[in-house]
Amino acid sequence: MKAKIILLTAAAALTMGVTSCSDYLDEDNKVGSTADLTYNTKSGIDGLVASCYSFARGWYGKEAGLGLSEMGTDLFYYGYDNKQKSLCQYNITPTALDDNSKDNACLDHYWEMFYDAVDVCNNAMQQIPQNKDLNDALKNQYLGEVYFLRAFYYFHMVNIWGDIPYNDAPITAQNLAPVKTPQNEVYGKILADLDESIKDFDAADYRTKADGRANYWAARAFKARVLLYAASWIGGQLNEQVAGNDTYASMNTNALYQAAMNEADAVIGSGYASFYSNYNDVWSMNNESYNTNSEALFGITYSQDLKSTVNCIPYRYRTDGSGDPMKYCSLITRTGYTRGGSAMLLMFVPMWNNGATDVGNNKNNTTTAFIRSTGESSSYIKSASTGKNVFVAEKYSPYGRGFTRYLPSLHLWQLLEEHKATDQRCEATLLDHYDVAGPDLYKNVSKCYPDMQQDTLIYYSPLNGDSPEGKKAQAWAKGKYRIQFAAGGDIPVYTSMDPATAKPTEAAKATSDVYGDNRYNTYKIGGWCSFPGLKKFLDNVYDANYPTHDISSRDAIVMRLPELYLIKAECQVALGDGAGAMATINQLRTVRAKAGTDNTLKGNATLDTVLSERAIELCGEQMRWFDLKRTGKLYEYVAKYNAQASPQLNADASHHFLYRPIPQDQMDAVTNPDVFTQNPGY
């Protein structure tokens, strides 16, 4: 999708009363046309609707959004220089940190960004019906899109903060005394928007995939997700009913689960999406576009031209002292406002030189180098055996970075490894070895690995290095490649093989008996820097125009077909049909099976079965924190599987940790703090 750039020229405050946007400008930022003239043209409405999508690029594929949706769960730990450690450890505060990028959950910026997005959607809803250049079909399509997007943004907000102010019209004046809408009523409004979206898409007969745009089946799929959340969170954890919507207010929890399953079944049976037989194809950059990926139901598109401002999110409503619009924090924009893309390829990979001299250093690295070049000169490594320069950028650029943000938990690694023999997803998800770029570079590391036989230089083993099997593997690897074990051995990734106590090691053993010196006694080779990364988000197609790989054009797939099977299975469990739920899960597991193997599970499925399957299929796809919160599993799973977070997390009666704090800037601005209160515990 070629999104328009939205320029917000009016002064605004971080309250529910920000001044509404007045100009929606084309990509070349032409100025001069008034809002009325702009909205009277088809191109003006095109730009307005496109602007509604642009805010999603601040959440999907971005570091701060990933932190708020995946971290502090059972599946990931933070790396050594993570920028959201307070978030991951559950000691965040309401303090509005603005553009600080040292340790920032960015809640103040997301509060602002989501309400800006809603205001743009509200403007679009007002303007589209009045436009005389659009035919009825296009009006219905556009209304379907903006109702979908307003529901989409509010869904994120209500699951982050709980009770929130709800705006359903363009804002024209500041409101310093906002009132919160109860979250069960927000759900009622979200479902009303989705029903309106589905009705409008149906009237427009808009069911065809278009790059980066919602359509009829995307709305049905998203409705299935919202109904599942309404059932498990509103009905399940809060013991309330959806409010403010006659269609759903009468539904008890079981009825909501049944409605979610009906929507999931409709999408599954539509033929709109289909599975790849090879799970790797889901993540290939050749299929990364939402428009072309057969499993995708809805996604956020990034242009292949990374220097295009099309990939950038809008400027803020807030202005500086000169009246210029302010920028969002770099944890949200990543590369600023001159270029943009997805940062997911940077988030789950280890230190790019792994810190030890056995595999090279910053100047002469032969393994996981991040080639920091704009030309070819520094994309070569000189071969010690031939004296010739070997071009390595294509192979090494995606492997790692000069920082580490997130790494798989021991629990996630074990989940993936459990069925590795039959399930494609382990090998397609986990980056468990790093290679040398061909035999010309073997000699560069021959001092430590003189017996290297193949190109593997680092291998991450799921074994305990102190077990008999681990010691045997250690002996075999000596002289051939570096081996790092889940725990134990010479270079452990984690401190323990018990998921309840395991943490990433922060330095390797201070030992002199590995290769006769102390080369491994460094924080850079500890588990928080050197670990098996996730490769599902890496660029697997080399683009010589962007050799630094510091941002990616990979689209963010927000909903995929397998999620609908997992929604259905969870509903079946909740409705007491564990056998049916296992049959549904096994439909997915059969598709993910290695050729000639039986990848099915036996017995009746439970909620834990569903959550394990969601972890294997959907890890890193910006859903896990919400999944654990809505199912009441957050405290249990963090205590069992995340020792970094568990000391600070406790199941208090106020549900403190199940909500994020409202930014302090917002609290300071209101004149009715006795009514507009901070979330409990903050």
Side-chain angles (χ1 to χ4, degrees):
M1 178 185 72
K2 297 294 185 182
K4 310 295 182 182
I5 299 302
I6 177 173
L7 179 62
L8 305 159
T9 59
L14 187 59
T15 69
M16 293 307 89
V18 292
T19 306
S20 64
C21 172
S22 60
D23 292 321
Y24 297 86
L25 304 180
D26 220 337
E27 293 169 8
D28 56 0
N29 287 331
K30 294 176 181 177
V31 295
S33 60
T34 66
D36 288 342
L37 289 175
T38 299
Y39 298 148
N40 281 335
T41 65
K42 179 180 179 300
S43 62
I45 296 295
D46 288 345
L48 178 56
V49 174
S51 295
C52 295
Y53 284 93
S54 60
F55 295 90
R57 295 192 188 92
W59 181 265
Y60 285 96
K62 293 303 193 297
E63 181 171 353
L66 179 66
L68 283 163
S69 55
E70 285 284 341
M71 305 311 153
T73 70
D74 58 324
L75 301 186
F76 297 101
Y77 304 126
Y78 60 78
Y80 89 102
D81 64 346
N82 183 277
K83 304 303 183 185
Q84 296 183 303
K85 289 180 182 176
S86 60
L87 170 69
C88 300
Q89 293 176 311
Y90 291 96
N91 54 13
I92 55 174
T93 70
T95 303
L97 296 171
D98 204 33
D99 61 351
N100 169 49
S101 59
K102 293 182 179 180
D103 186 0
N104 189 356
C106 294
L107 286 166
D108 51 340
H109 281 208
Y110 278 131
W111 180 271
E112 181 179 346
M113 188 190 80
F114 282 130
Y115 276 109
D116 290 355
V118 165
D119 194 45
V120 178
C121 292
N122 287 336
N123 273 278
M125 290 175 188
Q126 182 183 79
Q127 296 296 332
I128 291 168
Q130 301 176 31
N131 186 284
K132 297 180 180 179
D133 279 359
L134 303 176
N135 60 38
D136 288 344
L138 196 53
K139 281 185 180 181
N140 284 324
Q141 177 195 322
Y142 282 169
L143 285 171
E145 292 181 73
V146 295
Y147 274 105
F148 172 92
L149 289 168
R150 187 170 73 176
F152 188 70
Y153 293 127
Y154 271 125
F155 177 75
H156 288 75
M157 292 156 61
V158 75
N159 282 290
I160 294 170
W161 288 290
D163 298 348
I164 52 172
Y166 188 92
N167 300 332
D168 60 3
I171 299 169
T172 58
Q174 289 186 351
N175 173 16
L176 298 179
V179 177
K180 292 182 181 179
T181 299
Q183 54 191 310
N184 62 335
E185 188 174 337
V186 176
Y187 265 88
K189 294 178 182 295
I190 290 170
L191 287 166
D193 275 356
L194 287 174
D195 283 341
E196 179 63 33
S197 173
I198 291 166
K199 184 187 77 172
D200 291 333
F201 280 137
D202 192 37
D205 195 22
Y206 192 64
R207 289 167 167 79
T208 304
K209 281 189 180 182
D211 220 6
R213 304 194 85 113
N215 62 21
Y216 177 84
W217 289 115
R220 295 285 300 269
F222 187 54
K223 183 181 175 184
R225 184 191 288 186
V226 173
L227 285 166
L228 177 69
Y229 276 54
S232 57
W233 174 247
I234 301 297
Q237 301 308 308
L238 300 185
N239 195 28
E240 297 176 355
Q241 287 182 277
V242 173
N245 185 320
D246 291 342
T247 303
Y248 302 97
S250 61
M251 289 187 178
N252 62 22
T253 301
N254 283 353
L256 289 171
Y257 276 120
Q258 185 63 54
M261 186 163 63
N262 291 345
E263 291 298 312
D265 268 333
V267 178
I268 291 169
S270 69
Y272 175 75
S274 60
F275 285 111
Y276 288 105
S277 58
N278 184 346
Y279 185 64
N280 279 305
D281 290 340
V282 179
W283 304 107
S284 171
M285 290 288 283
N286 294 317
N287 302 317
E288 58 89 22
S289 170
Y290 154 58
N291 189 36
T292 59
N293 191 295
S294 70
E295 294 194 10
L297 297 164
F298 176 66
I300 307 303
T301 302
Y302 287 103
S303 167
Q304 288 187 326
D305 181 4
L306 297 176
K307 295 180 181 179
S308 170
T309 54
V310 171
N311 283 346
C312 300
I313 65 173
Y315 285 90
R316 297 167 63 184
Y317 268 37
R318 298 188 76 179
T319 57
D320 59 21
S322 302
D324 296 322
M326 298 175 69
K327 300 177 180 179
Y328 286 102
C329 176
S330 62
L331 297 181
I332 294 175
T333 65
R334 176 57 195 172
T335 49
Y337 285 84
T338 58
R339 62 195 184 97
S342 172
M344 293 294 281
L345 78 168
L346 313 173
M347 295 295 103
F348 300 103
V349 289
M351 183 71 80
W352 63 275
N353 68 342
N354 277 312
T357 55
D358 66 323
V359 295
N361 52 46
N362 293 19
K363 295 181 180 179
N364 188 29
N365 185 25
T366 57
T367 176
T368 62
F370 170 33
I371 308 302
R372 300 175 180 272
S373 77
T374 54
E376 293 187 344
S377 60
S378 57
S379 297
Y380 288 84
I381 293 176
K382 190 173 183 177
S383 168
S385 58
T386 67
K388 297 180 179 179
N389 287 331
V390 180
F391 183 69
V392 296
E394 182 174 359
K395 293 191 176 183
Y396 289 150
S397 290
Y399 268 106
R401 291 297 180 269
F403 50 83
T404 54
R405 295 295 195 253
Y406 300 108
L407 65 149
S409 68
L410 175 62
H411 174 56
L412 177 56
W413 193 357
Q414 290 176 339
L415 279 176
L416 290 168
E417 286 284 345
E418 184 178 1
H419 299 284
K420 185 176 182 179
T422 61
D423 199 309
Q424 301 178 43
R425 290 172 294 184
C426 179
E427 293 173 5
T429 302
L430 206 66
L431 187 64
D432 66 356
H433 68 280
Y434 297 148
D435 300 335
V436 178
D440 285 346
L441 294 178
Y442 286 6
K443 290 292 184 181
N444 289 42
V445 291
S446 60
K447 177 182 177 182
C448 295
Y449 307 110
D451 301 323
M452 182 178 288
Q453 299 172 350
Q454 298 181 3
D455 55 0
T456 296
L457 185 55
I458 304 176
Y459 171 61
Y460 295 97
S461 169
L463 296 173
N464 181 341
D466 294 332
S467 68
E469 297 85 358
K471 291 178 179 179
K472 183 178 180 180
Q474 181 94 57
W476 166 258
K478 186 171 184 178
K480 300 181 181 72
Y481 51 82
R482 184 209 292 175
I483 187 169
Q484 297 187 225
F485 294 97
D490 290 327
I491 319 174
V493 175
Y494 309 117
T495 58
S496 166
M497 288 298 289
D498 178 1
T501 61
K503 295 181 181 180
T505 55
E506 297 183 5
K509 290 181 179 179
T511 178
S512 60
D513 63 357
V514 180
Y515 289 108
D517 62 27
N518 218 21
R519 67 170 57 89
Y520 291 125
N521 184 22
T522 167
Y523 79 94
K524 291 185 178 182
I525 205 172
W528 65 348
C529 288
S530 182
F531 52 81
L534 295 192
K535 60 183 177 182
K536 61 195 286 189
F537 303 115
L538 295 179
D539 285 4
N540 68 312
V541 176
Y542 178 66
D543 187 345
N545 292 316
Y546 305 104
T548 56
H549 287 270
D550 65 335
I551 202 77
S552 174
S553 64
R554 177 186 289 276
D555 292 347
I557 302 177
V558 177
M559 289 184 290
R560 297 191 287 118
L561 179 61
E563 183 188 351
L564 277 297
Y565 283 82
L566 295 168
I567 288 173
K568 178 179 178 179
E570 187 174 336
C571 293
Q572 290 171 301
V573 167
L575 294 171
D577 185 10
M582 188 64 85
T584 300
I585 288 172
N586 281 335
Q587 286 181 277
L588 173 59
R589 291 186 63 87
T590 298
V591 172
R592 300 305 191 213
K594 291 183 176 179
T597 68
D598 180 1
N599 193 40
T600 59
L601 302 176
K602 309 300 181 184
N604 292 338
T606 65
L607 179 57
D608 291 323
T609 313
V610 175
L611 288 172
S612 292
E613 199 65 27
R614 288 184 72 93
I616 295 167
E617 178 70 40
L618 304 172
C619 61
E621 295 180 49
Q622 299 192 232
M623 284 184 269
R624 189 62 172 187
W625 189 83
F626 300 111
D627 283 340
L628 297 186
K629 167 189 168 175
R630 66 177 176 79
T631 57
K633 289 286 190 176
L634 182 64
Y635 305 120
E636 175 190 342
Y637 274 40
V638 170
K640 289 170 65 175
Y641 303 122
N642 190 338
Q644 281 183 334
S646 57
Q648 293 75 236
L649 191 65
N650 57 79
D652 65 3
S654 68
H655 297 298
H656 167 203
F657 293 109
L658 300 182
Y659 302 99
R660 309 301 193 178
I662 297 172
Q664 193 61 46
D665 276 3
Q666 172 66 46
M667 300 307 304
D668 292 342
V670 302
T671 59
N672 60 336
D674 54 329
V675 174
F676 191 92
T677 56
Q678 179 59 269
N679 279 337
Y682 297 106

